[in-house]
Amino acid sequence: MMRNVSRFAVAAVGAAATVLWFATSAQADAVVDNGYARGGFIGYGDKIWVEHYEGRTSSVEWYTDYGRSGSCSVTVPDVSKTCNYDMREDGSITLWICTTGPGIGSDECSIAVTDRINS
């Protein structure tokens, strides 16, 4: 009986790890975080997403190596937003997230992350 329980436990942990890996890898290709908010780029569907933890304004700023740029912002009372863009199927995208609001002073921005654009 104990052997079957431990086999089941090992199988369950392996299955959970596999599901978690597929869920996170399908969710975002590049992720940025500044401690107040998270955001990222999803290559399949060319989406930029942003979500913030506290009552502030947060934006994912981005540009491509072929000259496009933009931002995806979320403000209170919303906590998340997904913006849909039509990117070329090649090249790279660089993005970072900035948050502003009460108690921060100037914008709090993450480091920039660069990722390949492909779906």
Side-chain angles (χ1 to χ4, degrees):
M1 171 90 172
M2 194 61 155
R3 180 184 287 185
N4 288 339
V5 169
S6 52
R7 282 186 189 163
F8 175 74
V10 169
V13 168
T18 302
V19 168
L20 181 60
W21 182 82
F22 279 117
T24 56
S25 64
Q27 182 183 15
D29 297 319
V31 176
V32 289
D33 189 316
N34 67 1
Y36 297 102
R38 287 178 53 133
F41 169 70
I42 303 170
Y44 185 76
D46 300 335
K47 294 178 176 30
I48 304 288
W49 60 274
V50 59
E51 60 186 27
H52 54 192
Y53 312 128
E54 301 180 22
R56 296 178 165 88
T57 299
S58 299
S59 296
V60 173
E61 308 290 330
W62 60 272
Y63 66 88
T64 66
D65 63 343
Y66 58 88
R68 288 197 58 202
S69 63
S71 68
C72 183
S73 300
V74 63
T75 59
V76 175
D78 296 327
V79 294
S80 66
K81 184 175 181 181
T82 301
C83 302
N84 194 7
Y85 296 97
D86 187 20
M87 308 283 187
R88 285 183 8 193
E89 299 306 314
D90 61 347
S92 65
I93 185 169
T94 300
L95 56 126
W96 62 96
I97 191 164
C98 294
T99 300
T100 188
I104 294 180
S106 61
D107 287 355
E108 182 68 36
C109 297
S110 70
I111 62 169
V113 173
T114 301
D115 194 19
R116 291 187 46 205
I117 301 172
N118 55 11
S119 49

